[in-house]
Amino acid sequence: MATASVRSAAVQTGTIYAILFAISSVHLMNDTMQAVVAALFPILQKSLSLSYGQIGWIAFTLNMTSSVMQPLVGYFSDKKPAPWMLPVGMGLSLIGMAGLAYAPGFLLVLLAVVFVGLGSAIFHPEGSRVVYFAAGGRRGLAQSIYQVGGNVGSALAPLMTIFIFVPLGQPGAIWGTLLAASAIVILLRVVPWYREQLEQHGKPVKRAAAKASGSVAVRQLSRSTVTMALGILILLVFARSWYMSGISTFYQFFAENKYNLSVQEAQVPIFLFLAAGVLGTFFGGVMADRIGRKRMIVLSMAFASPFAIILPHLPLGWIYPIAFILGFIMLSGYSVSVVYSQELLPGKVGMASGLITGLAFGMGALGAVVLGKLAEEWGLDRMMTTSSFLPLIGLLAILLPPDRREEAA
């Protein structure tokens, strides 16, 4: 992967696709391991007799472990990047996968999930910096290639439920250790290239990153405007993450109850939603490079909201195409939000990435607990109907300051 020709191009402005695809493949394996947890929900609910609330706490533990650590890892790695942390993070996830396969009870499941979450928290900020160095002038495209890997991994959760965990049960999670081992092998090839970038750029990484971003309009914003913009991004992440937590964690139970589907059949609309999100993520990054980050973010939330609102009320035949359309539109703004935050905070790539992606995990974690509790108190139907209005909050993105491409238009 990190060939001599690639290494010689390290500090040039061209996009280095070999590195982008390598780190994207690791992102795929990392998020597939996280998806194993979600894929096990219907299995664990029956084998360990878990309540909806306990399912929510498992999701909370996974996502909160990631979210709390990501901004911290990003903050310290901005000051002192540590390429060796990439394989270390995958090693922690490997331990988590092994523990998850054989955990005999709820508390040990939570402990195994902590290791998976910590591995993910370490990987994401450093992985985003690798993407930053390899992006050249196509930052939206590069971030989308990276994020597509993660979204593909997440989209595999329903398929793993159908083909692995229904027939094999909880011990099937041991196959996740192969993902971690494969990721470590790839990272051992990426890490030398990454280390060389840091040596080439030297200590003033912050100034080099700011210059490379080219976000002239964003850098001229006042501190209060940047703070306001970050606050709006946080609300947007809150709306999208809570809604997606409802879909990925509880929609399978909703579909089983409302449409009398089997465990396997209930995974299909979730898979369509997540698989379409893979396509939407790539499309959104490409379009953002053309029309601007803010416009892409606003369009994704504006067009997703009506489909989210009608999804709980559709007859069975309509949930499949609508779930696909909804996933495509909603996820088209995800990687764009990360790039926008990096341009708001030039030179703080790790912190910005950790803040947005980590916050997404954290908000999803809190959402899983709250929505699980509401499902127990209100019932699944009412909870899903209420949560369908969450994407409307994302329309506040219209108040974001324009990015550099919109300024130039």
Side-chain angles (χ1 to χ4, degrees):
M1 292 170 212
T3 62
S5 60
V6 170
R7 286 194 296 269
S8 67
V11 293
Q12 297 178 14
T13 58
T15 304
I16 305 174
Y17 289 101
I19 295 297
L20 287 177
F21 287 121
I23 200 68
S24 178
S25 68
V26 175
H27 197 189
L28 184 154
M29 296 174 197
N30 177 83
D31 283 26
T32 300
M33 287 185 281
Q34 290 186 275
V36 166
V37 180
L40 278 171
F41 285 157
I43 309 303
L44 294 175
Q45 187 196 33
K46 293 178 173 59
S47 64
L48 300 181
S49 302
L50 302 182
S51 67
Y52 290 134
Q54 287 175 311
I55 292 292
W57 277 109
I58 294 173
F60 174 86
T61 301
L62 173 65
N63 294 335
M64 188 56 73
T65 305
S66 299
S67 68
V68 169
M69 290 298 296
Q70 275 198 48
L72 291 176
V73 173
Y75 174 79
F76 287 109
S77 68
D78 281 333
K79 294 180 176 296
K80 189 175 182 180
W84 57 270
M85 288 298 290
L86 286 167
V88 167
M90 289 300 105
L92 292 177
S93 294
L94 189 151
I95 294 171
M97 284 291 100
L100 192 60
Y102 300 109
F106 175 64
L107 291 180
L108 287 178
V109 168
L110 289 182
L111 179 60
V113 163
V114 166
F115 278 93
V116 178
L118 287 175
S120 180
I122 292 171
F123 167 74
H124 278 99
E126 291 289 349
S128 291
R129 194 187 317 282
V130 173
V131 173
Y132 197 96
F133 282 132
R138 309 192 67 182
R139 303 217 23 242
L141 173 63
Q143 186 66 35
S144 290
I145 291 173
Y146 173 65
Q147 196 58 50
V148 159
N151 286 359
V152 169
S154 298
L156 293 176
L159 297 182
M160 287 190 289
T161 300
I162 296 171
F163 297 110
I164 298 178
F165 299 124
V166 168
L168 297 181
Q170 183 181 345
I174 196 65
W175 289 100
T177 59
L178 295 179
L179 293 171
S182 299
I184 290 172
V185 170
I186 295 173
L187 287 172
L188 290 178
R189 301 293 301 276
V190 172
V191 164
W193 179 89
Y194 177 24
R195 186 180 293 114
E196 186 173 333
Q197 303 316 295
L198 297 172
E199 292 172 355
Q200 294 269 5
H201 284 290
K203 290 187 177 181
V205 174
K206 183 173 180 177
R207 293 194 299 271
K211 182 178 180 181
S213 72
S215 51
V216 176
V218 172
R219 289 204 307 273
Q220 292 176 346
L221 296 175
S222 66
R223 176 172 294 185
S224 62
T225 302
V226 170
T227 301
M228 180 270 293
L230 286 174
I232 293 172
L233 280 180
I234 288 171
L235 286 175
L236 185 151
V237 169
F238 160 82
R240 183 170 52 214
S241 298
W242 272 49
Y243 179 75
M244 292 188 64
S245 181
I247 293 292
S248 61
T249 306
F250 298 109
Y251 189 81
Q252 55 196 316
F253 303 117
F254 172 81
E256 288 178 41
N257 293 340
K258 183 177 177 66
Y259 304 108
N260 295 317
L261 300 180
S262 67
V263 172
Q264 294 96 322
E265 291 169 336
Q267 307 304 311
V268 175
I270 303 174
F271 172 72
L272 290 172
F273 176 88
L274 296 173
V278 174
L279 300 175
T281 298
F282 183 79
F283 172 83
V286 173
M287 288 301 298
D289 282 339
R290 294 175 178 269
I291 68 174
R293 325 292 188 210
K294 175 188 171 180
R295 287 175 184 156
M296 195 65 235
I297 293 171
V298 172
L299 289 174
S300 71
M301 299 307 292
F303 285 104
S305 296
F307 293 105
I309 292 170
I310 66 172
L311 182 62
H313 310 287
L314 295 171
L316 178 60
W318 277 99
I319 67 172
Y320 304 108
I322 295 302
F324 186 90
I325 294 170
L326 175 58
F328 182 92
I329 297 173
M330 180 165 285
L331 271 296
S332 66
Y334 180 70
S335 64
V336 182
S337 302
V338 176
V339 175
Y340 186 92
S341 70
Q342 291 173 349
E343 293 184 346
L344 282 173
L345 300 170
K348 298 180 180 179
V349 179
M351 183 177 175
S353 302
L355 180 64
I356 297 301
T357 58
L359 191 62
F361 284 126
M363 289 294 101
L366 185 58
V369 173
V370 172
L371 295 178
K373 186 66 175 176
L374 291 179
E376 290 180 345
E377 303 225 347
W378 292 358
L380 278 170
D381 283 11
R382 185 179 175 189
M383 183 274 285
M384 291 302 301
T385 299
T386 302
S387 65
S388 69
F389 288 91
L390 285 169
L392 290 172
I393 298 175
L395 295 179
L396 290 173
I398 199 170
L399 300 177
L400 289 170
D403 57 74
R404 59 189 175 91
R405 293 183 184 275
E406 291 172 313
E407 287 280 349

